[in-house]
Amino acid sequence: MHNTTPPKRSELPSSTQLKRSTIIAALSALALLIVVILPSEYEVDATGIGRVLGLTEMGEIKTQLAEESAADAAATATPASTTSTQPVAAVSPELTNRVDEIERKLAEVMLKQQLRERVTATSRRVDTKAVAPAKTVAAVPAAQPVAPTPAIKSDQTTIQLDPGQGVEVKLVMKAGKSAAFRWTANGGTLNFDTHGDGGGRSISYVKGRGVPQDEGQITAAFDGNHGWFWRNRTNSPVTLSLQTRGEYESFKRVK
């Protein structure tokens, strides 16, 4: 073992030095809270430095998008109608294949039964002379199911948004499927949020503020609805044009 010499009392910091360090750390944390955190997270810029550094605008974007996401979630949770019918349960591909297999086997049994009935009727019509043996009819092999190829869909729509109005368009997609898109505000600008939801999961792909147009490709992270939410934050009406093409099941305007 190595012997270590404890520090002398004179080498330890005094209580005054500890208090001074604590006060300096608290003031530094307070300055960081006022100058950086409050402008960038809550739009509170008491000193004006946050606007110079661009942090206040970041806080405005986060606050607006948070309010819009909360409003969208509340609108989605509200039932569309109290008289809506119950959703129909989806039929699994395995069950469909089993039903097709049973139907093919029934068709083979019926075919063999018809052949036996024809042979019996022919035997009754002939006399007692020897009859040449009938040819054996080979059963037709059942066709193997072919996996459907994903259909490529394309849609386009034009929507006019008044000042303060928002709209949401979703593509129903399977996980891993992709769709190309292009949208334009036709001379105006829009705030947007590209996101997805389904099966209790949600994801935000990209957000923007004051954007005149955008294009690219969206790939579904999971089974569900994937698309865009736009809101017109300008003082004039804006005409939104959207075009999509890809491997999605349906195209729908949520609101």
Side-chain angles (χ1 to χ4, degrees):
M1 296 179 59
H2 297 280
N3 295 325
T4 57
T5 304
K8 298 180 181 180
R9 186 176 184 83
S10 60
E11 296 177 350
L12 297 174
S14 64
S15 59
T16 302
Q17 291 175 331
L18 292 176
K19 290 180 180 179
R20 184 185 306 160
S21 300
T22 303
I23 293 173
I24 293 174
L27 292 176
S28 299
L30 180 61
L32 182 64
L33 173 65
I34 295 174
V35 175
V36 177
I37 297 178
L38 290 179
S40 64
E41 296 292 337
Y42 305 101
E43 298 183 64
V44 178
D45 188 11
T47 63
I49 298 177
R51 186 166 300 280
V52 174
L53 298 178
L55 301 175
T56 305
E57 184 178 2
M58 183 187 304
E60 292 175 356
I61 295 175
K62 290 183 178 180
T63 302
Q64 287 185 4
L65 293 177
E67 293 175 355
E68 294 169 2
S69 298
D72 298 339
T76 304
T78 304
S81 175
T82 57
T83 60
S84 61
T85 59
Q86 296 294 329
V88 180
V91 180
S92 64
E94 292 80 4
L95 181 58
T96 303
N97 292 336
R98 291 289 301 277
V99 172
D100 294 342
E101 186 66 22
I102 292 173
E103 291 178 351
R104 286 194 295 269
K105 290 183 178 180
L106 288 175
E108 292 178 6
V109 171
M110 293 179 63
L111 177 61
K112 292 179 181 179
Q113 182 64 28
Q114 292 176 357
L115 291 175
R116 283 196 292 267
E117 292 177 356
R118 291 179 182 178
V119 172
T120 302
T122 303
S123 300
R124 291 176 180 175
R125 288 195 300 266
V126 298
D127 54 9
T128 55
K129 293 182 180 180
V131 179
K135 295 183 180 180
T136 303
V137 179
V140 178
Q144 295 297 325
V146 179
T149 57
I152 302 298
K153 293 182 177 293
S154 60
D155 292 275
Q156 61 181 4
T157 185
T158 300
I159 305 169
Q160 180 167 327
L161 299 177
D162 294 328
Q165 184 180 2
V167 68
E168 188 170 14
V169 175
K170 293 291 186 65
L171 305 178
V172 179
M173 304 174 69
K174 294 293 185 181
K177 300 301 182 182
S178 300
F181 69 90
R182 172 181 170 82
W183 66 263
T184 177
N186 292 297
T189 60
L190 292 170
N191 293 3
F192 76 95
D193 180 4
T194 306
H195 60 282
D197 60 81
R201 301 175 61 183
S202 62
I203 186 173
S204 178
Y205 296 110
V206 65
K207 299 178 181 180
R209 181 183 181 197
V211 180
Q213 64 182 25
D214 191 23
E215 63 180 305
Q217 181 171 285
I218 182 172
T219 301
F222 47 80
D223 294 353
N225 303 314
H226 303 268
W228 307 265
F229 175 79
W230 296 273
R231 188 177 295 281
N232 179 11
R233 288 298 187 186
T234 67
N235 297 324
S236 304
V238 174
T239 300
L240 167 67
S241 298
L242 171 65
Q243 297 176 340
T244 60
R245 177 178 175 82
E247 298 174 306
Y248 55 88
E249 298 178 6
S250 62
F251 175 100
K252 60 182 181 181
R253 174 177 172 178
V254 179
K255 64 178 181 177

